[in-house]
Amino acid sequence: MYKLYLLILMLFCLLDVFASSKDTSESVLLINSYHVGYHWSDEVTNGVIEFFSENPDVFFYTEYLDSKRFPEQNQLDEFFQNLNTKYNDIALDAIIVSDNDALNFVLDKRNESFFENVPLIACGIGNAEYYKQFDNLFIIVEEILYRYDIDLITKLLPDIKEVFFITDHSTTGEIYRNDIKEIFVEKYPQIKLTVPDCINLDELIVQLRKIRYPTVVYYAGVTVDCNNQSVSDTHAADLVSSNTSAPLFSGYYSSVVQSYVGGYTSNGKYHGRAAAKITYDLLNGDISNISSVQNIERVPVFDYSLLQKYGAKIDQLPENTIFRNRPENFWVKNKKVLIISAMIILNLLMIIGALYRSFKIEKKYRKQLQVEMEKASLSNKVKTIFVENMSHEMRTPLNSIVGFSDLLLDSMPDGQDKDFVRIISENSLALNNIISQIFDFSLLKSHRVELYITNFDLFVLIDEIFADQKNLSLIESKNLSVSKNFNINMLPIIGDKEKVYQVMKHLIGNALNFTPNGEVEIMVRYSVSNNPVFTKEITDQSDARFVVVGIFDSGIGISAKYLTQLFEPFTHDNEDDTNANRGLGLGLSISKLIIEIMGGQIKVESVVNKGTKVVFTLPVELNQ
């Protein structure tokens, strides 16, 4: 029994703690003057929600007075009755209001029902001095920005003759209208001020299209037209910007619509967060730093390109000005390009150094050979050594150029600079290929090539060559027909895979490059003899000593004159040909040397405009 009483006592304690925790949560009501979708009201609401989302102990409610679209007194009374019904049983700890209409509404009803004695925090208020007599009221001032904007405009464009000021005949609009007229009479009597009596959007568009500099346009906001019909303020701001060629300024709307020259701007979200912060401090008893009237810093926002277009004196702008469309500093904009370009230049200098070093090596060997060698044929060895050294020394910086170029291409946006870098990359690769061919040719001519014997599948190797992206592109772009006539079951063979791949890649590439349309065929057979021809006799795999590979195309062919010197280095069928497929003239020479070093033979037959047949043999050891 004792344990049961103890358990019940603990349960009551827990319930009491839970109830206490619920009682500590505060309730806050936000009343917006305007409606959902009105840009300023949405910003204020988002600012309040954002702040309280970081402080979840506050219960938050939102209502909209909708005074721009429904300003009638009976609508306000009905709105109050709805609030009274919804919140009469809720103990509100604070009320936040945005803009003057909601503040006036709450103050008018403050002694009634649930408004009484509740702290009131107001943001977006334009005339704070009017509310000095009210207690328990904290105001965040929304300064009338056009007062500062007009002063700044006269400094930026001192030659202006007229200001076309756009506002409506709402309560706020009438305040703006009377205020701006007093300002111009007092401070700018030399400048003409034009303010439309009321706003008809169609008539306003006609007026705007006639306006030219030295008249400037200032948009202070339009929410109702001449017929008291609601108008989207941001839609009206867009219409104004798209129908005038004169310099167009605004305060708040210069940060909302991009085509405005600029002006001092305030942000509804900042007002909402500031109001929520004051509310939170009040609820937590932290009132030491809370002032009854606070200001939100106004920030000048201007379009740099439009300022330049109208010849504005940009040096008159405050230091804290935020610029849109301002050209980036050359170093900041091109920092990555400049760094990589510097690396490319450094590598080019390394190439020059490598060439200089190669020339020194050549000179050194020439001296040694002149002293030690008497035969003139040894001069070829000097040239070979020179080419080998030069090729070797140039590869490292060239690979760096290619690497940095690819890195730059991956990180750059599309544009002319990217095209320049792509040209650097492509030509560096081409130069690297040329050096590689010269190096290979030099080694092959000096018979200093080592064969690296591996186990590989010839058919897989052929498939890899055709799967190369460049070859696939050629096949697809020319709509070529490719056939593989193997007719044998190829087991893995033993040989130098890299050398065979190099030869076949070049010969297949030639067939694809020089066949505008038609067919390319690959044929593979076993043979007992080292004869690069295909016979009708079928050689059994166990008797085979050679593999015969044929590459046949229906391309442009080779002239009879060139066939006699086909394998000579640095020669082409037509020396005047500027075809993009034309290479250095070493590919066939290198292929022939590789095949012969490996113990095979190669044969070429061709007829102009009929096609080319390339057949070669390779001795192989079958991997049984």
Side-chain angles (χ1 to χ4, degrees), residues 541-558:
Q541 183 173 289
S542 61
D543 298 327
R545 293 296 176 264
F546 294 87
V547 169
V548 183
V549 182
I551 303 168
F552 311 117
D553 66 68
S554 60
I556 62 176
I558 304 171

Side-chain angles (χ1 to χ4, degrees), residues 78-93:
E78 183 178 340
F79 178 74
F80 177 71
Q81 292 302 323
N82 290 335
L83 290 183
N84 200 31
T85 301
K86 292 170 68 173
Y87 299 103
N88 194 42
D89 295 331
I90 298 175
L92 292 175
D93 297 285

Side-chain angles (χ1 to χ4, degrees), residues 9-19:
L9 180 62
M10 291 177 63
L11 180 61
F12 273 110
C13 290
L14 288 173
L15 289 173
D16 184 61
V17 171
F18 178 75

Side-chain angles (χ1 to χ4, degrees), residues 526-529 539 541-547 618-622:
Y526 290 132
S527 176
V528 295
S529 65
T539 301
Q541 183 173 289
S542 61
D543 298 327
R545 293 296 176 264
F546 294 87
V547 169
L618 290 173
V620 296
E621 294 180 27
L622 297 180

Side-chain angles (χ1 to χ4, degrees), residues 61 80 124 137 151 160 175 219 268 279 327 401 435 454 467 576 610-611:
Y61 308 92
F80 177 71
L137 171 63
D151 183 64
I160 61 172
I175 294 174
Y219 179 75
T279 303
I401 293 175
I435 292 172
T454 58
D576 297 325
K610 295 288 186 179

